[in-house]
Amino acid sequence: MNKQTTTNASQWNKFRHLFKQQEIPAKTTLLQEGQISRTMFFIDKGCLRTWVNNDGKEITTQFFFEGDIVSSIESFRTNQPSLYSIESLEPCILQTISQKDFQKIIENSPEVKKEMEDHLFRRLFQCQQLLYTFLKNNPQKRYEELIERHPHIVQRIPQHYIASYLGITSVSLSRIRNRK
Amino acid sequence: MNKQTTTNASQWNKFRHLFKQQEIPAKTTLLQEGQISRTMFFIDKGCLRTWVNNDGKEITTQFFFEGDIVSSIESFRTNQPSLYSIESLEPCILQTISQKDFQKIIENSPEVKKEMEDHLFRRLFQCQQLLYTFLKNNPQKRYEELIERHPHIVQRIPQHYIASYLGITSVSLSRIRNRK
DNA sequence: TTCATTTCTTTACAATTGTTATCGTTCAGC
DNA sequence: GCTGAACGATAACAATTGTAAAGAAATGAA
């Protein structure tokens, strides 16, 4: 979800007083895997990632940048433990809102509620497409697709995070890069 | 979603007259990739699969059995082309309902509407977990997990469908099976 | 039953990836 | 600027997977 591209940006402004600004350094954990999400983050500056633990190895599942809204939305909505952690990759400036206050907004703004439902559909769509790139392509093709579709990720994020995001080791990604 | 386990099974019965029974042989295409979904299927008997085309090769993305509700839900709701095809793997008896009639049910039953929203969250959750098994595990582990979590799939579905569902070739799956 | 189709296994070879370790380079904080 | 940590490239070897082809086994329809 993206504040800027929102059809009703003014809707958000009505509730601006409910947000708190927060500055954090790089590598700060905002939500730990297994915990219940009680906060939602809007990124003003910097970038975040979500990751899962796999036998001590971190596997990155998503990247977020300026304008993105980040939360374990399933956990936030259903009060179930989050499947993943949320962490900053750079020093960040965030706008945060609590679950309670966000609930208030939802109740008072059908536009925002509608937007959340659409957001959910988009999330499902994105998740499906990501899954399909794993079913369809080998690591090399997945990397090429990433460069094509999300060049800003490749430019901005350290390679070993990208490697785990592609489901391969950093060694293998390094080989793929030097193959062409 | 599952009719049987529904908290409000009686809700569905109220609208029974809107469903049509349909008998189809195996390998019947119910929805083609790129088309817009206008029908929803409840499986009384048999099983279906969804699949995507990848350079002429079919890749299975999901299996469905008795009691399951099947549709390209994103396409059904948003009127956008479906990312995948839906096809029968066995002769099936289905209960079908049109998009229009289903809309009527949604409008007349808050319970069913709520159920659909929950269904959407579950779909997202499932999709995420499936994606994570690709990020976390190699093909052998994915196969072992499938046996553990969904033994009925392994027992009922021909292996080459399962292979593409796991993201590998049928040759590789055969090797994995004979490894242990 | 019989025949054709589908499904599964096996083989040999090439290509890719994982693992482990080492070695420069770059970066961030003091 | 200095220093330690983070990052990326490379090498060698083992293990896994893909590809193509051939054949055995199972299945289903006439």
Side-chain angles (χ1 to χ4, degrees):
Chain A
M1 187 148 52
N2 193 300
K3 256 196 197 175
Q4 276 76 14
T5 60
T6 286
T7 45
N8 267 299
S10 60
Q11 283 292 320
W12 290 108
N13 288 329
K14 283 208 293 189
F15 306 101
R16 188 181 274 171
H17 61 283
L18 295 173
F19 289 88
K20 271 184 206 163
Q21 181 159 318
Q22 187 182 5
E23 291 195 31
I24 57 169
K27 308 223 168 196
T28 305
T29 297
L30 296 170
L31 173 70
Q32 199 148 25
E33 184 179 336
Q35 287 183 341
I36 296 170
S37 176
R38 305 228 180 269
T39 319
M40 201 170 227
F41 307 96
F42 292 71
I43 305 179
D44 272 357
K45 176 116 200 66
C47 68
L48 306 178
R49 67 160 181 151
T50 53
W51 62 276
V52 294
N53 183 313
N54 189 37
D55 292 335
K57 288 184 186 171
E58 299 184 0
I59 299 176
T60 299
T61 57
Q62 226 174 332
F63 301 106
F64 301 90
F65 303 95
E66 283 84 3
D68 288 339
I69 298 183
V70 187
S71 81
S72 177
I73 191 171
E74 322 78 43
S75 174
F76 192 83
R77 249 281 300 248
T78 63
N79 279 314
Q80 292 206 327
S82 171
L83 292 175
Y84 44 83
S85 299
I86 301 177
E87 183 189 278
S88 60
L89 287 176
E90 304 175 356
C92 291
I93 302 176
L94 308 172
Q95 301 289 337
T96 72
I97 185 168
S98 72
Q99 197 176 23
K100 253 191 194 169
D101 288 338
F102 189 73
Q103 202 57 41
K104 273 187 213 163
I105 297 183
I106 290 281
E107 282 161 16
N108 288 300
S109 171
E111 289 90 342
V112 173
K113 185 174 160 59
K114 173 81 168 55
E115 210 178 295
M116 283 303 290
E117 279 174 16
D118 290 347
H119 179 57
L120 197 58
F121 267 98
R122 270 201 303 279
R123 281 285 293 262
L124 179 58
F125 209 78
Q126 279 173 9
C127 192
Q128 280 180 352
Q129 284 196 307
L130 198 54
L131 180 60
Y132 291 177
T133 69
F134 274 89
L135 287 168
K136 287 182 169 179
N137 305 320
N138 58 18
Q140 173 156 353
K141 257 203 167 179
R142 286 205 297 277
Y143 181 62
E144 286 165 8
E145 265 193 14
L146 185 68
I147 292 176
E148 203 181 314
R149 296 191 188 174
H150 306 288
H152 61 289
I153 292 182
V154 181
Q155 284 162 11
R156 190 164 172 180
I157 307 285
Q159 277 185 40
H160 64 285
Y161 293 120
I162 293 176
S164 80
Y165 177 71
L166 292 171
I168 57 178
T169 62
S170 60
V171 176
S172 189
L173 177 56
S174 182
R175 279 191 288 232
I176 288 172
R177 283 165 53 86
N178 292 25
R179 206 177 281 161
K180 330 188 270 180
Chain B
M1 186 150 51
N2 193 300
K3 255 195 196 177
Q4 275 77 14
T5 60
T6 287
T7 45
N8 266 300
S10 60
Q11 282 292 321
W12 290 109
N13 289 329
K14 283 209 292 186
F15 305 100
R16 189 181 273 171
H17 61 283
L18 294 174
F19 290 88
K20 273 184 204 163
Q21 182 158 319
Q22 186 181 6
E23 292 196 29
I24 56 169
K27 307 223 167 194
T28 305
T29 297
L30 295 170
L31 173 70
Q32 199 150 24
E33 184 179 336
Q35 287 182 340
I36 296 169
S37 176
R38 305 231 179 267
T39 319
M40 200 169 228
F41 307 96
F42 292 70
I43 305 178
D44 273 358
K45 176 113 198 68
C47 68
L48 305 178
R49 67 161 181 150
T50 54
W51 62 275
V52 294
N53 183 313
N54 189 36
D55 292 335
K57 289 184 184 171
E58 299 184 1
I59 300 175
T60 298
T61 56
Q62 225 175 334
F63 301 106
F64 300 90
F65 303 94
E66 284 84 3
D68 286 340
I69 297 183
V70 187
S71 82
S72 176
I73 191 171
E74 322 78 43
S75 175
F76 192 83
R77 251 278 303 245
T78 63
N79 280 314
Q80 291 207 327
S82 172
L83 291 176
Y84 45 82
S85 299
I86 302 177
E87 183 191 277
S88 60
L89 288 175
E90 302 175 357
C92 290
I93 302 175
L94 308 172
Q95 302 288 337
T96 73
I97 185 168
S98 71
Q99 197 178 21
K100 251 190 194 170
D101 288 339
F102 189 74
Q103 203 55 42
K104 274 187 213 164
I105 298 183
I106 291 282
E107 282 161 16
N108 288 300
S109 171
E111 289 91 342
V112 172
K113 186 174 159 63
K114 174 82 169 54
E115 212 178 293
M116 283 302 292
E117 278 174 17
D118 290 347
H119 179 57
L120 196 58
F121 267 98
R122 270 201 305 279
R123 281 285 294 263
L124 179 59
F125 209 79
Q126 279 173 10
C127 192
Q128 280 180 351
Q129 284 195 308
L130 198 53
L131 180 61
Y132 292 176
T133 68
F134 274 89
L135 288 169
K136 286 182 171 180
N137 306 320
N138 58 18
Q140 174 156 353
K141 258 204 166 177
R142 286 206 296 277
Y143 181 63
E144 286 166 7
E145 266 194 12
L146 186 68
I147 292 176
E148 202 181 314
R149 296 192 188 173
H150 307 287
H152 60 289
I153 291 182
V154 182
Q155 285 160 11
R156 190 165 172 180
I157 306 286
Q159 277 184 41
H160 65 285
Y161 293 118
I162 294 177
S164 80
Y165 178 71
L166 292 172
I168 57 178
T169 62
S170 60
V171 175
S172 189
L173 177 56
S174 182
R175 278 190 288 232
I176 288 172
R177 283 165 53 87
N178 292 25
R179 206 176 282 162
K180 335 188 266 182

